[in-house]
Amino acid sequence: MRRKLRIGELLVENGLLTAEQLTKALQAQKKRGMRLGQILVDLGYVEETQLLDFLAQQLDIPFVDLSTRSLSRPTVFTLPEQHARRFNAIVLEDNDKELEVGLADPTDLLALDELSRILKRPIQPVLVREADLLACIERFYQRTDEISNLAMQLDEELGGDGHVDLVDIDSEERGSEAPVAKLLKSVFEDAVREGASDIHIEPDENVLRIRKRVDGVLYEQEMKETRIASALVLRIKLMSSLDISEKRLPQDGRFHMRVNQKAIDVRVSTLPLQHGEGVVMRLLDQSAGTESLDQLGLPEPLLLKMRALIHRPYGLILVTGPTGSGKTTTLYAALRELNKPEKKIITVEDPVEYRLPRINQVQVNTKVNLTFARVLRAALRQDPDIIMIGEMRDQETAETGLRAAMTGHLVLSTLHTNDAASTPLRLIDMGAEPYLAASALRAVIAQRLVRKICRECREPYEPDARERGWLAAMERGAEAYTFYHGRGCDECNNTGYRGRLGVYELLEIDESLATPLRQNQQGEYEKACRQKPEYRPLALASFDYAREGITTIQEVFRLAEEVEEGPIEASEPTGLEIESGALPADSDEVIGATAGVESGDEAYIGE
């Protein structure tokens, strides 16, 4: 009878490993307590793919690359979460006769026996890469069931009429294992793992909704335990140092926490609703830090112009777009590059999102009349070289910022406008003198965020007749390009999208634009904008990404409709009826001059 060989001996016997390497690997295994296979890969003795193929051959089982498999949620959920995590296993397929189960260690006979007993079905083990397996487990076994169970437990403990005793909540503040604490902990862990930017808690008449915004889209979970809403809100208020007795007025606060080894800054906003208080929490990952200009994804020509602009000694640079379009991220990236010992930088923000070393950051507080304009006037007496204003909200702030830009300061700020071209007109509408806007404003950067196609399920896409009409209006010959979309897979939760990227347009205010602005000639200014050959509007900038297969044409059309404040109408497949200020039917760029604030879908103060 042939003796059973261990993995190390098998590798040595087949010439894939030397006896000396095996000895060193075993010694390392004793110190680290890891599986031998992982030790061999970490030490560089064996390639991971080579090791997995060899193991599959020796065990006479298939090796499955999970990144190429599309899994069904009902099939995966055949194995409960606790057992999937305990045995590092996932059910891949149910072919009626048996279950195909992916395992990181198919040699674990005890695990195989237990899985057969739990599943009550014959199983066909297959070898999978451990990293891919763990990623699948995290993706599928989200904390939805855990959150529902904790909500039920909290509802039972509240009992009676559901009123919350402050003494009980205060004791929960000290006891991290209390149901309300565990429920919030699960909600935060789930949101951080999914990369959510916001968490919404919304009590309704018959349900409590917890919604998370991922890549700009809200995903919700409903709970029937409506009585727990007050306990959750009260706990969040305590964490945010808000007035727990005030339920009739909105409140804003913030707190810090660590989730999955990440430092998270949470901005809290409460709002009285018909059936209780609603809460929106914005999650800011402080451990990730701020991005650099190179990480923003600016096209190379725009990146070079941006760098040149922010290194000028004076002038106003505005970043525009709706709430949630990434304006603050762009400003912080600029500050990160400008943050040198020889430069004095002061920021005026509401609220301060990220703490930056060496930069003097001031938090606006309207309750004590510490407004943007007042802080800005005081900041000018602090001998700054660079000033960042979180947002130009009123005439006084706008004029003070413009005058500062004319007197030797570089001023960075944001404004809510639809596009770059309409921004100077918006400043004038706010009450700023035309000569001030023309003399101080150096450039405007407008931006949006579009969703990226999931790389795991990207495939060619054939536009329909209506879409071909839109494409013909975008650019001559655009119908001939190959476009892509995501068919939907487990990696992207069947949305076809995963992640977002910025789309930018940059308009430099040179003399050809400054002259009509100074004379308050809106028509001449718009004409001059149309004639600038280097200016590429947002819709066409996003179309470049669609042409490269990074985003879909649906995202391009959505952005174009947002910018033009109305749907694009295509009456025939070969043409496009152009509304005033909309995209042209030829390749010349037309600039819309609408100066209104775009209404985004995020009801949250801040960028």
Side-chain angles (χ1 to χ4, degrees), residues 462-463 468 471-472 475-483 543 547:
E462 183 64 33
R468 285 196 296 271
L471 291 170
E475 186 175 301
R476 285 195 183 98
E479 318 92 276
Y481 296 136
T482 300
F483 297 99
F543 180 70
R547 190 169 49 192

Side-chain angles (χ1 to χ4, degrees), residues 289-300 302-303 306-307 310 319 325-337 445-450 452 500-504 506 545:
T290 56
E291 294 183 335
S292 65
L293 284 178
D294 295 311
Q295 296 172 314
L296 290 180
L298 284 161
E300 189 66 22
L302 264 65
L303 179 61
M306 178 74 170
R307 279 212 161 93
I310 65 173
V319 182
S325 60
K327 300 189 296 296
T328 303
T329 300
T330 300
L331 286 182
Y332 274 118
L335 290 179
R336 178 176 171 179
E337 180 149 327
I445 301 161
Q447 66 182 78
R448 295 291 193 282
L449 295 175
V450 295
K452 296 190 294 185
R500 291 189 292 177
L501 79 161
V503 178
Y504 306 88
L506 190 151
Y545 287 128

Side-chain angles (χ1 to χ4, degrees), residues 18-69:
T18 66
E20 183 182 357
Q21 288 175 328
L22 176 58
T23 301
K24 291 180 179 179
L26 290 172
Q27 291 172 350
Q29 184 186 30
K30 290 180 180 179
K31 294 179 181 178
R32 300 188 198 177
M34 299 167 60
R35 290 207 306 270
L36 181 60
Q38 187 62 50
I39 295 289
L40 293 172
V41 173
D42 291 345
L43 293 176
Y45 293 158
V46 182
E47 293 288 337
E48 184 179 24
T49 303
Q50 183 185 29
L51 176 63
L52 292 171
D53 287 339
F54 176 76
L55 278 175
Q57 182 181 357
Q58 292 297 318
L59 296 171
D60 194 24
I61 62 174
F63 166 64
V64 174
D65 186 353
L66 289 179
S67 64
T68 64
R69 287 287 292 267

Side-chain angles (χ1 to χ4, degrees), residues 233-251:
V233 173
L234 184 51
R235 179 62 182 267
I236 292 168
K237 281 186 170 182
L238 285 169
M239 296 165 68
S240 311
S241 300
L242 299 179
D243 184 356
I244 58 175
S245 64
E246 180 58 74
K247 299 181 180 179
R248 299 168 298 172
L249 297 174
Q251 297 187 67

Side-chain angles (χ1 to χ4, degrees), residues 279-413:
V279 178
V280 174
M281 295 176 284
R282 172 151 294 183
L283 310 181
L284 303 170
D285 186 356
Q286 300 290 335
S287 59
T290 56
E291 294 183 335
S292 65
L293 284 178
D294 295 311
Q295 296 172 314
L296 290 180
L298 284 161
E300 189 66 22
L302 264 65
L303 179 61
L304 294 175
K305 286 183 181 179
M306 178 74 170
R307 279 212 161 93
L309 287 165
I310 65 173
H311 283 96
R312 290 182 180 178
Y314 60 88
L316 172 64
I317 300 173
L318 287 175
V319 182
T320 75
T323 298
S325 60
K327 300 189 296 296
T328 303
T329 300
T330 300
L331 286 182
Y332 274 118
L335 290 179
R336 178 176 171 179
E337 180 149 327
L338 294 168
N339 189 9
K340 308 293 182 186
E342 61 270 19
K343 296 290 185 181
K344 168 91 171 190
I345 303 176
I346 299 177
T347 72
V348 189
E349 305 174 65
D350 183 22
V352 174
E353 292 195 4
Y354 293 95
R355 275 72 174 179
L356 301 174
R358 198 188 291 116
I359 293 179
N360 300 270
Q361 297 175 270
V362 182
Q363 167 79 52
V364 168
N365 188 350
T366 54
K367 294 180 181 178
V368 295
N369 199 30
L370 193 64
T371 61
F372 275 104
R374 186 172 184 179
V375 176
L376 183 54
R377 288 195 301 270
L380 290 172
R381 296 191 290 270
Q382 294 286 311
D383 188 29
D385 297 291
I386 301 165
I387 300 172
M388 192 270 272
I389 307 170
E391 183 185 346
M392 288 191 169
R393 296 180 178 175
D394 51 51
Q395 178 183 354
E396 186 179 8
T397 304
E399 288 198 341
T400 306
L402 287 167
R403 294 184 187 279
M406 291 182 63
T407 55
H409 304 90
L410 177 65
V411 180
L412 309 175
S413 188

Side-chain angles (χ1 to χ4, degrees), residues 408-428:
H409 304 90
L410 177 65
V411 180
L412 309 175
S413 188
T414 70
L415 195 64
H416 286 270
T417 57
N418 271 355
D419 54 24
S422 64
T423 301
L425 304 178
R426 173 64 176 157
L427 284 174
I428 296 172

